[in-house]
């Protein structure tokens, strides 16, 4: 076929496809159906009811203020203790040396009625307890007539130490052979006994009740009713071993037996009713 014929044929075909050539126009297709009806809008929820405001609690009642306490009266300040004369420890001071087994009583008695040997022993025990030696058994160095009692038999065997730990003697024989001494025959506090020694305070109080001889045996008739009477005479010794003008000759030097004294008044001649105290057997 010739090219011209081909072209003509193609032109006719195109016209036919385009609805040319007198054919009726085709009907437009129906519009597609829409989807189902729109969903129902949900009902709006009811707004929640607000809770009522809580009731505010009532204010608590204020507490009652306590009554102020009364201020106590101030305590009275005690008087200061007096330091014992010549002693290393004042009266009422601390404990005595642990070795102490002898002392001269710090307290005094206006008469020689001491309540017998029992009362005198209790006196030694009380004084020793006050300076820390109450666990020991103490005896007064006193002789008595009934029953017959020698002062030397009431005390321990020695050695003998004073309240400062200084030794007086090693045993009974040495003790009774020695003289009195103001530096050794001291009280339980460590104080010297007023006497004839240089610088001593007054009054003189070196007469110590014993009722004994130089060797510690009973001096019959000089024990003041065995230390229960205020009549008659006593036998005393000098704790400082001295007489007038510091005379150290016998019998002034004897600590156990120097001269007699008065049972009803221990002061004349230089006494104060003091006694010697030893740890007993």
């Amino acid at each position: 076929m010739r090219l011209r014929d081909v072209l003509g044929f193609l032109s006719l075909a195109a016209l036919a496809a385009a609805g040319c050539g007198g054919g009726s126009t085709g009907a437009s297709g129906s519009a597609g159906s829409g989807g189902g009806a729109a969903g129902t809008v949900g009902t709006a929820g009811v707004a929640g009811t607000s809770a009522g405001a809580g009731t505010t609690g009532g204010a608590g009642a204020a507490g009652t203020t306590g009554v102020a306490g009364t201020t106590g009266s101030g305590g009275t300040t005690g008087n200061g203790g007096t330091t014992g004369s010549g002693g290393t420890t004042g009266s009422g001071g601390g404990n005595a040396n642990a070795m102490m087994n002898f002392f001269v009583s710090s307290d005094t008695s206006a008469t020689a009625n001491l309540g017998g040997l029992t009362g005198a022993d209790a006196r030694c025990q009380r004084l020793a307890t006050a300076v820390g030696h109450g666990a020991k058994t103490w005896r007064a160095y006193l002789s008595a007539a009934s029953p017959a009692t020698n002062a030397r038999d009431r005390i321990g065997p020695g050695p003998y130490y004073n309240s400062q730990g200084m030794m007086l003697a090693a045993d009974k024989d040495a003790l009774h052979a020695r003289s009195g001494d103001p530096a050794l025959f001291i009280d339980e506090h460590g104080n010297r006994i007023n006497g004839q020694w240089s610088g001593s305070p007054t009054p003189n109080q070196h007469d110590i009740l014993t009722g004994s001889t130089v060797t510690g045996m009973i001096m019959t008739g000089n024990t003041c009713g065995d230390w229960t009477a205020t009549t008659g005479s006593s036998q005393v010794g000098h704790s400082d071993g001295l007489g007038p003008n510091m005379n150290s000759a016998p019998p002034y030097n004897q600590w156990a037996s120097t001269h007699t004294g008065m049972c009803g008044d221990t002061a004349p001649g230089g006494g104060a009713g003091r006694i010697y105290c030893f740890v007993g057997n």
Side-chain angles (χ1 to χ4, degrees):
M1 181 178 294
R2 290 183 294 184
L3 179 56
R4 189 179 52 188
D5 294 332
V6 172
L7 293 173
F9 177 80
L10 292 173
S11 297
L12 290 174
L15 289 173
C20 296
S24 56
T25 302
S28 299
S30 300
S33 300
T40 303
V41 177
T43 303
V46 178
T49 303
S50 299
T55 303
T56 302
T64 304
T65 302
V67 178
T70 304
T71 302
S73 301
T76 303
T77 302
N79 295 327
T82 303
T83 302
S85 58
T88 56
T89 303
S91 298
N95 289 354
N97 187 280
M99 300 176 69
M100 182 183 81
N101 57 5
F102 158 82
F103 62 89
V104 182
S105 66
S106 62
D107 64 357
T108 60
S109 175
T111 74
N113 181 355
L114 308 178
L117 293 180
T118 300
D121 288 347
R123 179 179 172 186
C124 289
Q125 194 73 43
R126 173 178 54 82
L127 295 174
T129 298
V131 292
H133 288 263
K136 302 173 183 178
T137 300
W138 292 85
R139 297 282 183 261
Y141 183 90
L142 293 170
S143 294
S146 182
T149 304
N150 298 314
R152 68 176 293 139
D153 297 331
R154 309 193 79 230
I155 68 176
Y160 307 102
Y161 297 92
N162 66 18
S163 58
Q164 292 184 334
M166 296 183 292
M167 190 173 77
L168 279 71
D171 54 38
K172 287 185 184 181
D173 289 340
L175 177 67
H176 290 91
R178 66 157 302 137
S179 298
D181 185 332
L184 294 178
F185 287 74
I186 56 180
D187 71 17
E188 73 274 15
H189 298 295
N191 300 325
R192 290 189 176 196
I193 308 304
N194 294 4
Q196 299 284 4
W197 45 276
S198 178
S200 172
T202 57
N204 181 10
Q205 296 181 343
H206 69 173
D207 287 356
I208 313 299
L209 299 171
T210 68
S212 306
T213 66
V214 172
T215 58
M217 307 299 285
I218 183 173
M219 179 72 81
T220 304
N222 290 337
T223 63
C224 296
D226 292 346
W227 315 108
T228 62
T230 56
T231 58
S233 60
S234 63
Q235 189 70 15
V236 301
H238 285 175
S239 60
D240 59 359
L242 299 171
N245 300 313
M246 295 187 289
N247 188 340
S248 61
Y252 301 120
N253 66 318
Q254 303 297 330
W255 66 269
S257 184
T258 303
H259 59 79
T260 59
M262 298 170 58
C263 298
D265 187 354
T266 58
R274 296 180 190 266
I275 57 177
Y276 295 121
C277 298
F278 288 81
V279 169
N281 291 318

